[in-house]
Amino acid sequence: MTNRRRPAPLRDERGFTIIEMLVATMIMVAATGAIFALLDPSQGIYRTQPEVSDMQQRLRVAQNTLQSDLMMAGAGTYLSAGSGTLLNFFAPVVPYRVGTVDSDVAAGIFYRTDAITIMYVPQTASQCSIRDQMPQPSAEVKVNAQPGCPAGDPLCGFNVGMRVVIFDDTGAYDPFTVTNVQEAALHLQHRDDTFSKSYGPGAQIAQVAMHTYYLRTDVANDTFQLMHYDGYLTDEPIADNVVGLEFEYFGDPRPPLLLKAVTDPTGPWTSYGPKPPAIGVDNPSTTWGAGENCAFQIDGASGLQVPRMTDLAPGASGLVPLTQAMLTDGPWCPDGAATSRFDADLLRVRKIGVRLRVQVASAEMRGPAGQLFNRGGSSRSGLSFVPDQEIRFEITPRNMNLGR
């Protein structure tokens, strides 16, 4: 039997050795790991960018809403004898909630960092004066037909459901909602709103835009919203996941000055704030002495009317910060006994600063509470963090800076 040798395998027919397999596997694992390392941040960005855009949109909505109303704050009547900014009669910006439901004043609250109420007279023909002495409490207001009213409408467009403010030169004001209109008798009826005083003939009445903005914080239901209240019955959200809202106030350091005799039939009589009664004349609706009100007093030496409010920064120029202590210590307008009283230093307000902070809706994109997050979340990876976003802006209301 002949032994025949098997031919040696060709080189390209040989398999891989164990070492070669291990090296190839290590190279493949390294390459795959590098690819996933590149893809993982991309996935994080893919998840977070829509949330970032949503946060910025909520900030824009909140800022634009607040800015438009703050810019109009203080706009007053322009058809009646008491025409001019509301600042000549009462404070059109106050740091608390005002209205028919859950009024802060009724609860004795006169300052909140997270709430503001803004009032102004919109473009409207609904501006009149009171015709007869109004009893208190009252269910109706009798008014004078105003020259310039629309033809055939002696009540100048006042209608059911309209939000209206009544005010006089004592610093008193009361908002209410019209519930019935009697054109023949020039009557405006109302309910649910209790007036703080009895208003006399000549008091002004006009349609009013009234806006309260505040922060709703409901931890139990995980609800954090910028809210709007219309001063009557309706609260509605403006933006969700708002976790920070703060208002700051800057004011005129100088006290108000008399510009002309208070007996002059046309105003404005003061640089700002309500005019006092004439010297020797007592206003029975307030507790101030004769010739005095919340902004002016009688100087014992000269017998003249001088500012009751002090100079906050003698010799300095520009606006000064108005602190909580300044805005809650009086003197009170129209006086300390009035149910609708406000601190006279609120008449100084000329600029409002606003700080807004929003968070991402999903707790899975929030890390531990701290500098980046007002409220902590469940995320443990920085790749999926979406930090809170915050803006701060300042508004100088046009109608509260006339003459500056």
Side-chain angles (χ1 to χ4, degrees):
M1 187 175 208
T2 304
N3 290 328
R4 300 180 62 184
R5 297 181 59 187
R6 298 179 61 186
L10 298 175
R11 185 175 183 82
D12 57 0
E13 293 178 350
R14 296 172 180 169
F16 292 99
T17 65
I18 295 296
I19 294 176
E20 289 174 330
M21 290 287 292
L22 290 174
V23 171
T25 302
M26 291 175 62
I27 293 173
M28 182 181 68
V29 170
T32 303
I35 293 172
F36 276 105
L38 292 173
L39 291 177
D40 188 61
S42 299
Q43 291 178 348
I45 293 173
Y46 179 79
R47 292 181 60 203
T48 60
Q49 280 306 306
E51 298 296 335
V52 172
S53 297
D54 177 67
M55 293 169 67
Q56 292 174 345
Q57 179 66 14
R58 283 185 276 123
L59 280 175
R60 280 194 293 270
V61 169
Q63 179 183 0
N64 290 340
T65 303
L66 285 166
Q67 182 174 310
S68 61
D69 285 328
L70 283 169
M71 190 64 72
M72 287 295 297
T77 59
Y78 48 89
L79 296 177
S80 61
S83 61
T85 174
L86 294 179
L87 200 62
N88 293 333
F89 299 92
F90 63 90
V93 172
V94 295
Y96 44 82
R97 177 183 174 112
V98 176
T100 305
V101 179
D102 296 331
S103 171
D104 283 335
V105 175
I109 299 172
F110 294 95
Y111 190 94
R112 289 171 54 183
T113 58
D114 64 348
I116 190 171
T117 296
I118 304 158
M119 287 170 277
Y120 59 88
V121 176
Q123 190 77 16
T124 178
S126 302
Q127 306 173 35
C128 294
S129 59
I130 291 184
R131 187 178 70 202
D132 300 327
Q133 182 72 31
M134 185 191 71
Q136 185 196 20
S138 171
E140 66 179 22
V141 181
K142 301 177 182 179
V143 301
N144 295 307
Q146 177 69 38
C149 286
D153 186 357
L155 276 181
C156 293
F158 285 105
N159 53 60
V160 174
M162 181 178 287
R163 196 67 176 163
V164 175
V165 65
I166 182 172
F167 58 93
D168 61 18
D169 55 14
T170 68
Y173 74 97
D174 283 285
F176 67 96
T177 299
V178 177
T179 58
N180 190 24
V181 173
Q182 301 175 22
E183 290 188 4
L186 296 181
H187 287 189
L188 302 178
Q189 294 185 341
H190 63 95
R191 64 171 183 268
D192 298 328
D193 297 285
T194 301
F195 287 175
S196 62
K197 61 172 287 186
S198 173
Y199 290 89
Q204 301 298 306
I205 182 169
Q207 181 181 1
V208 68
M210 192 169 180
H211 305 278
T212 295
Y213 294 98
Y214 64 97
L215 182 65
R216 179 189 179 194
T217 302
D218 186 350
V219 178
N221 295 310
D222 197 34
T223 302
F224 304 88
Q225 296 172 313
L226 171 64
M227 300 291 295
H228 172 266
Y229 171 53
D230 65 358
Y232 186 39
L233 297 177
T234 305
D235 288 81
E236 58 184 0
I238 301 299
D240 293 326
N241 284 294
V242 178
V243 292
L245 176 65
E246 183 178 357
F247 296 99
E248 299 174 283
Y249 303 91
F250 303 88
D252 190 339
R254 307 289 177 260
L257 301 174
L258 285 174
L259 302 178
K260 60 170 65 174
V262 297
T263 54
D264 194 297
T266 59
W269 301 270
T270 68
S271 56
Y272 66 88
K275 70 172 183 177
I279 294 177
V281 176
D282 182 39
N283 190 330
S285 67
T286 71
T287 58
W288 300 111
E292 298 185 334
N293 68 357
C294 61
F296 293 91
Q297 61 186 348
I298 299 297
D299 178 66
S302 65
L304 300 177
Q305 293 169 318
V306 296
R308 184 183 300 277
M309 300 155 64
T310 60
D311 192 331
L312 300 180
S317 60
L319 304 180
V320 298
L322 300 177
T323 65
Q324 178 176 353
M326 293 178 183
L327 300 179
T328 55
D329 63 351
W332 298 96
C333 296
D335 60 23
T339 56
S340 60
R341 63 189 180 277
F342 62 90
D343 191 290
D345 284 315
L346 285 168
L347 297 166
R348 299 180 186 262
V349 174
R350 300 293 180 270
K351 183 170 68 175
I352 300 102
V354 184
R355 183 184 65 83
L356 276 166
R357 185 182 182 110
V358 299
Q359 69 175 9
V360 65
S362 175
E364 296 179 354
M365 295 184 180
R366 298 196 302 266
Q371 185 174 3
L372 295 180
F373 302 97
N374 183 284
R375 297 179 59 255
S378 58
S379 178
R380 294 296 179 265
S381 172
L383 297 177
S384 61
F385 278 1
V386 181
D388 296 350
Q389 293 197 12
E390 182 175 301
I391 60 171
R392 186 186 182 282
F393 58 95
E394 295 178 348
I395 298 295
T396 302
R398 291 188 292 262
N399 294 281
M400 298 175 67
N401 285 272
L402 300 176
R404 286 189 58 83

